[in-house]
Amino acid sequence: MIKKKLTVKDLIVAGAFAALYVVIMLVIVSTASLTPVTWLMAPLLCAVVLGTVYMLYCMKIPKRGAILILGVVVSLVLSSTGGWAAPAWGIICALLAELLAALGRYGSKGWYAASFCVFACSTAGPFWMLVFAKAAVLATIENTYGAGFAARMDALTPPWIVPVVIGSAVLGGFIGGAIGKRLLKKHFEKAGVV
Amino acid sequence: MITLQNVSFRYGTGGDASGGVREVDLHIRKGDCVVLCGRSGCGKTTLTRLVNGLIPHFYEGVLSGEVRVGGRDSAARSLAKTAEIVGSVFQNPRSQFFNVDTTGELAFGCENQGLPREEILRRVDGARVLFGLDGLMDRSIFELSGGEKQRIACGSVYAAGPEVYVLDEPSANLDAGATEKLRQILAALKARGKTLLISEHRLYYLAELADMYLYMEDGRVTRALDRREMRALPPGERAAMGLRSLDLNGADYRGRAAAPRDGGALLIENLVCRRGRRRVLDIPRLSLPSGEILAVVGANGAGKSTFAHCLGGILRHKGTFSVDGKALSDKKRVEMSYMVMQDVSRQLFTESVLEELSLGRREAPVKEAEDLLRALGLYELRDKHPMALSGGQKQRLAVAAAAFAGKEILLYDEPTSGLDAVNMRRICALIQDMADRVFITAVITHDLEFILSCCTSVLELSGGTVTDHYALDGPGVEKIKRHFLKEVVNYETKGNSGKTENRHGAAAGAGGY
Amino acid sequence: METTRAAQIKKPYIRLDPRTKLLVLLTGSFAALSAAPKSAEVMLILFLTLLLLNERQTGFAVKLLAVFAAMLLPDIFGASLLDGAAGVVLLAVTRIVRIYLPVCMAFTLVVKTTTVSAFIAALCKMHVSDKITIPVSVMFRFIPTVKEEWQAIRAAMKFRGIGISFKSVAIRPMLTLEYVMIPLLMSASGIAGELAAASLARGLDSGKARTCVTQVALGPADYPVMLAGLAIAVCAVAG
């Protein structure tokens, strides 16, 4: 362990990586949402691609709080696609990821990769809104068109969809973390960037 | 004002001493303008960082000796305290602003000092008036040209009210007109009694400002010359020191005549490129003979990059490209061409130098690759990561990759920005050598010295149209010199209304593929 | 006057405090996601449109208002006639788009019309820690940088014959990912370092209370806007 406190330099680097993370995430999500199936896969795809960004970020700022900051900033942006539930969920994910990184004493790549499995779930946040939005939609539809109509709509989005999406994000996090670890060694350590 | 006593510094805490400075003793009086010169990697930048406090507060390493600015030891003082008396302008206009809007950026330093709002407004206004920034207030910085960004950077530092200005290669990314504007700003600062420390390769624009030149070699200050001594330096000796020309107009033509080849010519017809509704490029007919080294010149936004991107086939456009009546489709041209970018880091993809060459080739002949690397002095580095190379080495690697892929159209985007004379001559030799092997070579450049030592013909662009196209023979040399002087003069006569810059602005940077 | 290609930044008719805009984002997204009656929904959209017009984001506001109107039509006229799956899907889609529209508008209101300096000042007044304020403001400044880098890297990839088509992703996903990520991360972390150096050399880390050149204070216009935002949220939730 070197220095534990976050410096202003760290905060600026954090902002830059957050921008990178967020831009890539939004590009993938907006491309994926062209079809419903790929839309459900968006958290998985994001996790696979973003693992490298996350791992490099953690190596650049191996300190307590870094992951939480990234989580908070990413969550704030996610709120644009789904109101308040996404950030709440994102911050929970970031806190758990921070915990896993702490178990590795902020120095273990293995633990960092593990923490990404949890962190990656934050992208599944907007899907919670499906649950809330559905309730809202069903309520209005039931008022206007009757229960039968609402029931048919209900069937379109089964309740197990959210856990499945979260599970896929964990899987994606595992793959993305592994890729990130590999590229760190292959490129960034060899080039002397971290 | 600035005193360095027996200062040594090396980066990193490990054993590999890279860069840094050794045993520097230095005294700069208040109001002086001191220029640090010397070859890349000689320690100029390190010296500027010692003065603005980034060493030891930002860059880690081993420091000995004492740096005093304004009477106090800068190692013992916080970076923010140093920032109140030392203002810094950096080389890369893209990475040094914190705000998105220009007015916010001008106020940034003052806000950090916690000055009251009225005082900040007064100072920002002072910077606006002094540097002629009227047309640049309340803009998005991302839409500004490099020169405009650099002026905002100077204005922001000025508003913060420091006594000492430290500038690290401020002109590296600027064209002749913007460099002249920068000179005016520096002159205004000097007239106000500010102390200037400038690390720079381009010396011509500082000729009237510099009180002292410090020549650095290998981390040491080996020579100190005043203005007169520098003037009196024989050109041969200056060149041997690796220094750039002191007089823009005095640069001599050292290029070679275009080797006439009967390889035909690339014919461009009815080339039109639009960005939104605006025509950013409109070339009815242009014929580029093979084997030439074409300098593409023009003010910012004249359509140079757009032209290169159309030529390389990566930008959508109307019109045809053909050789001997045979059309070359966009797709074909992308396969044939390669652009060596200004920031080469963006175009290196693999984990070793050797690998970088064979990228995209299924069965790459290793022997051939190794020979090429030997020819470019990269063989010893073949197993290194491309990003661990120096700037010049990266550039050579990018050219090597193009050569190895058998590219026929080579495009260079400002290959000499921020290069000392030695590295400039090296890249000249490389471009000339490559030009013999390929069909077309085109170089976007703002560097007259480079054009005169390397290119064989010139394409002048303005507002997206070709204003002139000529060979660099006797009259051609006079023409290109006039072109550059005109760019400078436009600024001098029009003062704050420098209309050459961006009158015909193309969209930001490499925007919109 | 000097001519530059950069357009003048738009000034609002009435300046609102960033904190007011943040509150509108919060109440707006609450309202949008509750089972709001159509009247509350329409009120929310009109309210946000007015705020965007005030910031001279006319084109964007009009576009989104039009989309909203189009999404409202099937709900009023067609959907009850269209029995069966098609009707359900149509209704669901239009309803979901209508949920996201106000959130998107409110988000634009906050992000597009607030300068970095005003944003920092507002967050400071809300006693948000530097640990969030600095990363968030750097992020907004860095997003266009990422875009610039990405465009340059795309061009470089084309010259090297590295495509990122559906085909290349399908055949060599790992390699394609590597070729995209490596230059992007390398150049972004380089720029981040330079930005940090430049910001610190200009006294960002002074420890003093920062001041702000844009006045950030709740004015007479802020309170009615906040009240209206809250009222709409209450209407929407209460049904």
Side-chain angles (χ1 to χ4, degrees):
Chain A
M1 280 318 306
I2 332 140
K3 285 181 232 156
K4 279 195 178 137
K5 248 185 120 222
L6 288 165
T7 62
V8 172
K9 179 190 175 185
D10 294 332
L11 297 177
I12 292 174
V13 172
F17 273 81
L20 205 56
Y21 197 98
V22 160
V23 170
I24 296 174
M25 180 179 80
L26 291 180
V27 166
I28 294 174
V29 169
S30 58
T31 317
S33 46
L34 290 175
T35 72
V37 178
T38 49
W39 181 56
L40 291 174
M41 282 169 65
L44 174 92
L45 295 172
C46 283
V48 170
V49 174
L50 289 168
T52 313
V53 180
Y54 180 87
M55 290 300 285
L56 181 60
Y57 171 71
C58 291
M59 292 298 115
K60 284 243 163 199
I61 317 179
K63 299 179 185 178
R64 171 169 296 127
I67 296 174
L68 185 60
I69 286 173
L70 184 66
V72 169
V73 178
V74 169
S75 301
L76 284 177
V77 172
L78 279 172
S79 72
S80 69
T81 61
W84 50 270
W89 169 252
I91 288 166
I92 292 171
C93 292
L95 276 172
L96 287 175
E98 186 77 47
L99 196 72
L100 287 175
L103 284 176
R105 291 168 180 273
Y106 298 100
S108 147
K109 266 183 239 154
W111 279 106
Y112 270 128
S115 77
F116 185 61
C117 292
V118 183
F119 191 89
C121 294
S122 55
T123 349
F127 288 84
W128 283 111
M129 292 325 290
L130 260 187
V131 179
F132 291 92
K134 197 169 109 180
V137 172
L138 287 183
T140 41
I141 287 176
E142 206 167 319
N143 288 339
T144 333
Y145 305 110
F149 207 93
R152 227 177 306 159
M153 259 211 71
D154 193 20
L156 280 178
T157 45
W160 44 261
I161 204 84
V162 174
V164 166
V165 168
I166 293 173
S168 75
V170 174
L171 176 68
F174 181 76
I175 301 171
I179 295 174
K181 248 172 83 177
R182 198 179 133 251
L183 293 186
L184 268 182
K185 193 160 172 234
K186 188 173 167 191
H187 288 279
F188 300 100
E189 282 168 16
K190 192 177 171 200
V193 175
V194 288
Chain B
M1 198 71 205
I2 305 172
T3 311
L4 272 72
Q5 259 173 19
N6 195 22
V7 173
S8 297
F9 179 82
R10 64 187 164 84
Y11 290 97
T13 39
D16 53 329
S18 53
V21 295
R22 285 184 289 164
E23 294 150 27
V24 175
D25 281 298
L26 186 65
H27 180 74
I28 298 174
R29 282 170 314 192
K30 186 170 166 14
D32 270 4
C33 173
V34 174
V35 176
L36 298 170
C37 51
R39 297 174 55 173
S40 305
C42 69
K44 300 191 296 294
T45 297
T46 305
L47 203 54
T48 64
R49 288 172 179 166
L50 282 162
V51 173
N52 66 20
L54 283 175
I55 293 175
H57 295 291
F58 187 84
Y59 295 100
E60 286 170 15
V62 186
L63 174 69
S64 64
E66 196 183 50
V67 181
R68 297 177 86 86
V69 182
R72 274 177 301 170
D73 186 357
S74 68
R77 178 169 50 193
S78 81
L79 199 45
K81 272 271 170 255
T82 303
E84 290 179 15
I85 54 167
V86 182
S88 307
V89 176
F90 300 88
Q91 179 180 357
N92 187 348
R94 281 185 301 139
S95 60
Q96 61 175 308
F97 54 90
F98 188 84
N99 288 260
V100 179
D101 64 310
T102 51
T103 311
E105 186 63 16
L106 287 171
F108 182 69
C110 305
E111 292 179 340
N112 289 336
Q113 290 180 26
L115 297 175
R117 181 168 175 269
E118 290 68 32
E119 173 69 11
I120 299 178
L121 287 176
R122 205 181 55 72
R123 289 185 177 198
V124 167
D125 205 53
R128 177 185 65 80
V129 173
L130 184 65
F131 297 161
L133 302 174
D134 295 73
L136 299 181
M137 306 300 281
D138 289 312
R139 310 283 159 156
S140 161
I141 298 184
F142 284 95
E143 294 174 26
L144 302 183
S145 70
E148 291 167 338
K149 281 180 189 156
Q150 215 60 322
R151 277 157 60 203
I152 292 293
C154 290
S156 174
V157 168
Y158 176 75
E163 277 307 308
V164 178
Y165 287 70
V166 173
L167 300 96
D168 187 13
E169 296 185 34
S171 81
N173 293 287
L174 307 188
D175 61 27
T179 306
E180 168 58 20
K181 202 87 186 169
L182 177 67
R183 188 194 66 76
Q184 289 172 10
I185 284 178
L186 295 177
L189 290 175
K190 197 178 177 210
R192 277 173 167 62
K194 308 291 184 188
T195 310
L196 305 176
L197 179 66
I198 308 167
S199 148
E200 191 58 281
H201 286 303
R202 278 192 205 177
L203 299 177
Y204 75 87
Y205 78 100
L206 297 168
E208 298 297 321
L209 285 171
D211 297 303
M212 180 70 81
Y213 294 88
L214 298 177
Y215 178 68
M216 293 186 71
E217 276 174 298
D218 209 12
R220 296 172 198 270
V221 178
T222 52
R223 279 181 87 167
L225 302 108
D226 65 21
R227 195 185 301 171
R228 201 171 311 128
E229 288 167 335
M230 192 68 170
R231 275 271 158 90
L233 207 62
E237 194 180 346
R238 199 194 66 230
M241 288 164 79
L243 297 182
R244 292 288 208 116
S245 165
L246 275 172
D247 180 4
L248 189 58
N249 197 27
D252 294 324
Y253 181 62
R254 290 192 303 272
R256 42 165 207 189
R261 287 205 310 204
D262 16 284
L266 178 70
L267 183 64
I268 303 170
E269 285 171 304
N270 304 318
L271 175 61
V272 172
C273 183
R274 287 167 193 280
R275 211 155 269 175
R277 279 180 210 150
R278 224 179 31 225
R279 264 179 198 222
V280 288
L281 196 63
D282 185 355
I283 300 179
R285 196 189 139 90
L286 181 67
S287 171
L288 302 177
S290 78
E292 285 200 332
I293 302 174
L294 179 74
V296 183
V297 301
N300 228 306
K304 301 187 298 293
S305 300
T306 312
F307 174 72
H309 288 160
C310 287
L311 186 55
I314 60 162
L315 192 59
R316 285 178 60 161
H317 61 84
K318 286 195 182 127
T320 55
F321 290 74
S322 61
V323 178
D324 296 333
K326 263 184 277 178
L328 285 179
S329 69
D330 289 3
K331 209 177 146 206
K332 180 78 185 129
R333 290 202 314 285
V334 176
E335 282 167 17
M336 286 171 68
S337 49
Y338 186 81
M339 179 181 268
V340 179
M341 297 175 158
Q342 197 176 356
D343 188 350
V344 195
S345 320
R346 295 153 159 178
Q347 56 189 151
L348 300 173
F349 299 93
T350 63
E351 79 263 28
S352 79
V353 167
L354 197 56
E355 192 96 344
E356 194 65 38
L357 284 195
S358 43
L359 167 65
R361 284 181 66 162
R362 220 151 271 162
E363 280 160 39
V366 177
K367 173 82 177 50
E368 202 181 304
E370 289 182 346
D371 286 345
L372 185 60
L373 289 181
R374 256 188 219 105
L376 293 176
L378 293 170
Y379 184 70
E380 304 303 317
L381 307 164
R382 65 191 178 282
D383 291 325
K384 277 209 163 195
H385 196 285
M387 295 305 290
L389 305 182
S390 77
Q393 291 165 343
K394 281 184 202 165
Q395 214 173 23
R396 268 178 283 153
L397 176 57
V399 176
F404 196 64
K407 298 287 190 177
E408 284 293 325
I409 300 175
L410 280 193
L411 309 162
Y412 299 84
D413 189 0
E414 298 190 29
T416 60
S417 72
L419 289 192
D420 60 61
V422 172
N423 275 307
M424 186 197 75
R425 282 198 289 274
R426 192 179 278 168
I427 192 80
C428 279
L430 182 57
I431 290 174
Q432 286 174 334
D433 182 37
M434 291 298 300
D436 293 336
R437 310 188 196 182
V438 304
F439 185 54
I440 298 278
T441 304
V443 192
I444 298 176
T445 182
H446 294 308
D447 189 341
L448 179 59
E449 221 179 325
F450 162 77
I451 295 175
L452 293 177
S453 25
C454 181
C455 299
T456 61
S457 63
V458 175
L459 182 71
E460 282 183 22
L461 293 177
S462 174
T465 58
V466 176
T467 47
D468 214 342
H469 181 205
Y470 47 86
L472 263 185
D473 45 16
V477 170
E478 290 313 306
K479 248 185 184 174
I480 186 70
K481 281 188 182 175
R482 266 206 307 281
H483 172 84
F484 273 84
L485 286 178
K486 191 175 68 196
E487 252 186 61
V488 174
V489 169
N490 268 336
Y491 272 88
E492 277 170 352
T493 52
K494 286 174 190 157
N496 290 343
S497 59
K499 277 184 184 149
T500 43
E501 199 174 13
N502 293 328
R503 184 168 25 173
H504 314 281
Y513 286 97
Chain C
M1 274 298 260
E2 176 164 351
T3 45
T4 167
R5 68 178 160 217
Q8 188 110 29
I9 291 169
K10 292 164 183 163
K11 285 249 157 68
Y13 295 98
I14 302 166
R15 191 164 55 212
L16 292 175
D17 191 288
R19 284 168 287 176
T20 308
K21 294 177 194 167
L22 283 171
L23 185 82
V24 168
L25 173 62
L26 194 71
T27 56
S29 68
F30 253 106
L33 287 156
S34 56
K38 266 194 221 69
S39 55
E41 226 183 300
V42 173
M43 253 168 25
L44 177 62
I45 286 286
L46 290 178
F47 174 61
L48 289 169
T49 307
L50 279 178
L51 291 180
L52 284 170
L53 288 177
N54 176 50
E55 303 283 349
R56 297 178 197 258
Q57 301 285 327
T58 319
F60 178 78
V62 169
K63 218 181 285 169
L64 262 68
L65 191 62
V67 173
F68 178 78
M71 290 297 150
L72 204 54
L73 286 178
D75 210 337
I76 300 171
F77 302 111
S80 56
L81 306 172
L82 274 175
D83 205 19
V88 176
V89 170
L90 184 63
L91 207 60
V93 167
T94 55
R95 191 67 178 80
I96 286 172
V97 171
R98 265 154 54 202
I99 286 173
Y100 284 110
L101 272 182
V103 182
C104 179
M105 287 169 99
F107 198 74
T108 307
L109 183 70
V110 173
V111 174
K112 270 230 166 161
T113 67
T114 314
T115 63
V116 171
S117 135
F119 195 75
I120 294 180
L123 289 180
C124 275
K125 286 202 173 176
M126 289 159 70
H127 303 289
V128 175
S129 148
D130 266 5
K131 293 194 168 61
I132 295 301
T133 312
I134 294 176
V136 170
S137 37
V138 169
M139 179 185 74
F140 286 128
R141 178 239 177 267
F142 218 79
I143 285 174
T145 301
V146 174
K147 207 179 131 200
E148 281 178 2
E149 293 304 304
W150 169 239
Q151 283 166 342
I153 291 165
R154 266 304 291 278
M157 290 173 76
K158 283 182 190 164
F159 286 125
R160 288 305 288 270
I162 311 168
I164 29 169
S165 56
F166 178 75
K167 198 176 132 202
S168 69
V169 173
I171 298 174
R172 298 181 302 183
M174 272 299 295
L175 211 54
T176 309
L177 180 65
E178 192 174 326
Y179 289 153
V180 173
M181 294 309 275
I182 297 310
L184 195 57
L185 281 169
M186 289 284 184
S187 88
S189 56
I191 295 177
E194 285 174 25
L195 173 64
S199 308
L200 289 171
R202 288 159 66 201
L204 180 63
D205 193 14
S206 68
K208 288 183 200 165
R210 275 188 107 246
T211 46
C212 175
V213 72
T214 329
Q215 247 166 341
V216 175
L218 294 171
D222 286 295
Y223 297 103
V225 172
M226 282 191 191
L227 272 179
L230 282 172
I232 291 171
V234 170
C235 281
V237 174

